[in-house]
């Protein structure tokens, strides 16, 4: 796949909200010059601004950021704050791009989250070596108001799940644990822990420095667009833009549908592409933007082939801790694969429907839900196409290239120029 293009990303307030789209990683000098690391507003007032803006988490679930911050703040012990930059969802490049290109913005947001919650320890959690190098440079350029360590982990689908994050930071494997307790109750070192996506933290920093545009800051999202007829695109867009307009932006002008939210939001058909990019509207249509990764289906591309690739990936990424997940993801993978090959048994669709309804919620993390949801959405969005695969092999599936992969490359970022670090180190 060719390199990912940046479009309309991180523009100043006259455009979108997160700052100019740098091809070069920021250093402390450029961040300070742009108004970063301003004096912290009163934490309670900043929390009010975050709540008023309606900022939702950008890791996938969209949980209200202010509610999460309050829960950690009120947990009763000195908390820990974690910037989660481990992108488990294939097709998403935004978090690694943020850490590579805007590390000071993320660290600024982490400092604000620590001030709100009263945290005394911070972590940046990631698997991308280039992102880790960028964060280390940023930490060397400026002393932060709380101790921050970088915790690296092998990249897997489940490694970014919040209980897996806590487990890894505590010295164990990056695998999910049973809930309760949840990290906000008992996390790193058994302390209340905020595990926050790096884009969420970036937007907290922007709300702190630009409270007058806080609703626009909260009402925009980074999206990674791929598939169809165009190259991958990373863009910042406002909620309300239609999925069809996003397809046009990416270069797919007659999409047959889309795979939403990485693998979390399932498949939608062409009729759903007039939906707005809006969490409530998408939820009402039984889909989700999740982490903002959307893979469009080109005209003539078979959704069964796309579903086969998706559930196959999920089956390989199972943590293999839950028997129901191992068995469920494997059965879904095998059954969809028979549809792809045109060798499915007559009861294949009935099995997929039963699994899609009965398996969600039965694993320790969302991987089984994603697999079951993908199968159910295939039946729901493309019933005639799917049923036709029971009768004869599909020419489009047979022609689909093997090993296309679901992931997209991170936009290229040149190393940051040397900053006058000694003069600026510790600058407020």
């Amino acid at each position: 796949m060719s390199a990912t293009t940046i479009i309309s990303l991180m523009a100043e307030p006259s455009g979108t909200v997160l700052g100019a789209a740098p091809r070069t990683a920021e250093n402390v000098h450029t961040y300070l010059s742009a108004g970063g690391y301003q004096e912290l507003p009163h934490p309670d007032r900043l929390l009010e601004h975050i709540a008023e803006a309606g900022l939702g988490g950008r890791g996938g679930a969209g949980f209200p950021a202010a509610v999460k911050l309050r829960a950690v703040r009120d947990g009763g012990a000195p908390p820990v704050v974690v910037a989660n930059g481990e992108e488990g969802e294939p097709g998403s490049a935004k978090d690694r791009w943020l850490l590579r290109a805007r590390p000071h913005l993320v660290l600024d947001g982490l400092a604000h989250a620590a001030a709100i919650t009263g945290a005394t320890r911070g972590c940046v959690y990631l698997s991308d070596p280039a992102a880790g190098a960028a964060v280390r440079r940023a930490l060397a350029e400026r002393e932060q108001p709380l101790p921050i360590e970088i915790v690296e982990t092998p990249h897997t689908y489940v490694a970014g799940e919040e209980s897996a994050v806590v487990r890894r930071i505590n010295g164990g494997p990056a695998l999910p644990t049973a809930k309760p307790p949840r990290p906000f109750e008992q996390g790193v070192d058994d302390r209340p822990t905020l595990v926050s996506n790096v884009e969420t933290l970036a937007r907290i920093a922007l709300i702190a420095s630009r409270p007058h545009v806080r609703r626009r800051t909260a009402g925009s999202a980074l999206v990674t667009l791929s598939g169809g007829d165009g190259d991958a695109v990373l863009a910042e867009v406002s909620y309300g833009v239609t999925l069809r307009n996003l397809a046009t932006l990416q270069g797919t002008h007659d999409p047959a549908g889309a795979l939403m939210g990485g693998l979390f939001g399932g498949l939608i058909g062409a009729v759903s592409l007039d939906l707005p990019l809006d969490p409530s509207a998408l939820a009402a249509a039984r889909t989700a933007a999740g982490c903002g990764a959307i893979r469009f289906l080109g005209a003539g591309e078979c959704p069964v082939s796309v579903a086969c690739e998706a559930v196959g990936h999920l089956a390989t990424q199972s943590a293999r801790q839950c028997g129901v997940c191992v068995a469920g993801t494997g059965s879904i993978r095998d059954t969809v694969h028979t549809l792809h090959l045109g060798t499915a048994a007559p009861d294949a669709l009935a099995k997929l429907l039963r699994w899609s309804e009965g398996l969600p919620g039965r694993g320790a993390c969302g991987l089984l839900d994603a697999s079951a949801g993908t199968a159910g959405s295939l039946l729901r969005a493309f019933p005639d196409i799917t049923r036709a695969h029971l009768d004869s092999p599909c020419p489009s599936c047979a022609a689909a290239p093997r090993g296309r992969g679901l992931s997209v490359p991170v936009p290229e970022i040149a190393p940051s120029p040397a900053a006058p670090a000694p003069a600026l180190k510790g600058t407020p």
Side-chain angles (χ1 to χ4, degrees):
M1 183 179 289
S2 61
T4 305
T5 302
I6 299 174
I7 293 182
S8 241
L9 182 62
M10 304 287 189
E12 287 299 324
S14 57
T16 48
V17 298
L18 289 187
R23 309 296 187 197
T24 302
E26 69 184 0
N27 58 40
V28 69
H29 177 70
T30 55
Y31 189 60
L32 287 167
S33 299
Y37 290 130
Q38 296 184 9
E39 183 178 352
L40 295 175
H42 192 281
D44 290 343
R45 184 59 179 151
L46 176 56
L47 184 57
E48 289 176 7
H49 284 163
I50 294 168
E52 290 168 0
L55 178 65
R58 294 300 198 272
F63 193 78
V67 175
K68 201 170 185 179
L69 287 161
R70 286 194 188 99
V72 173
R73 181 196 64 184
D74 299 338
V80 178
V81 289
V82 179
N84 185 4
E86 165 51 19
E87 285 183 298
E89 287 286 0
S92 180
K94 69 180 181 71
D95 294 338
R96 285 166 292 162
W97 186 90
L98 271 172
L99 288 171
R100 293 183 190 187
R102 306 293 319 270
H104 285 288
L105 180 66
V106 174
L107 291 173
D108 200 3
L110 189 63
H112 285 296
I116 290 171
T117 60
T120 56
R121 178 185 176 190
C123 301
V124 180
Y125 178 83
L126 49 81
S127 64
D128 175 39
V135 176
R136 287 186 179 92
R137 284 194 298 269
L139 290 172
E141 288 176 340
R142 182 183 189 274
E143 184 177 352
Q144 296 294 319
L146 79 160
I148 294 176
E149 63 182 297
I150 297 173
V151 178
E152 299 191 42
T153 185
H155 173 71
T156 65
Y157 185 85
V158 300
E161 193 269 342
E162 63 175 7
S163 68
V165 173
V166 167
R167 192 174 181 184
R168 176 66 174 174
I169 294 173
N170 279 335
L175 298 174
T177 58
K179 278 80 73 177
R182 294 191 174 275
F184 77 88
E185 299 167 313
Q186 183 180 330
V188 176
D189 296 336
D190 293 330
R191 293 154 62 181
T193 300
L194 177 78
V195 179
S196 186
N197 174 262
V198 294
E199 184 189 347
T200 311
L201 294 170
R203 294 188 181 277
I204 287 173
L206 291 164
I207 289 172
S209 62
R210 303 173 185 176
H212 58 289
V213 292
R214 58 184 178 272
R215 288 185 175 83
R216 186 168 60 185
T217 299
S220 301
L222 296 178
V223 292
T224 313
L225 312 173
S226 62
D229 307 321
D231 293 332
V233 165
L234 180 61
E236 185 182 19
V237 298
S238 296
Y239 287 148
V241 63
T242 69
L243 302 179
R244 195 176 302 279
N245 285 342
L246 292 180
T248 301
L249 174 70
Q250 184 260 336
T252 299
H253 296 284
D254 188 22
L259 180 64
M260 297 290 293
L263 306 178
F264 178 77
L267 287 156
I268 59 171
V271 68
S272 297
L273 293 172
D274 291 315
L275 287 168
L277 185 72
D278 175 82
S280 298
L282 294 174
R286 301 179 68 180
T287 185
C291 62
I294 302 174
R295 182 193 187 283
F296 294 105
L297 280 62
E301 185 175 11
C302 185
V304 173
S305 178
V306 175
C308 184
E309 187 176 24
V311 298
H313 177 79
L314 289 166
T316 65
Q317 290 295 301
S318 170
R320 310 196 73 79
Q321 295 185 132
C322 307
V324 67
C325 177
V326 174
T329 57
S331 296
I332 292 170
R333 173 201 58 204
D334 294 344
T335 303
V336 175
H337 188 58
T338 62
L339 286 171
H340 174 74
L341 295 176
T343 60
D347 64 346
L349 302 189
K351 286 181 177 179
L352 290 176
L353 179 62
R354 184 171 70 252
W355 291 329
S356 72
E357 295 175 342
L359 290 178
R362 296 182 61 187
C365 68
L367 186 143
L368 180 58
D369 293 24
S371 183
T374 299
S377 67
L378 174 67
L379 302 176
R380 187 167 59 250
F382 301 98
D384 295 339
I385 292 175
T386 306
R387 195 175 300 111
H389 282 67
L390 294 173
D391 301 327
S392 61
C394 168
S396 178
C397 285
R402 294 184 180 274
R404 289 171 298 176
L406 294 163
S407 61
V408 300
V410 181
E412 293 183 4
I413 295 293
S416 69
L424 291 169
K425 193 175 182 69
T427 301

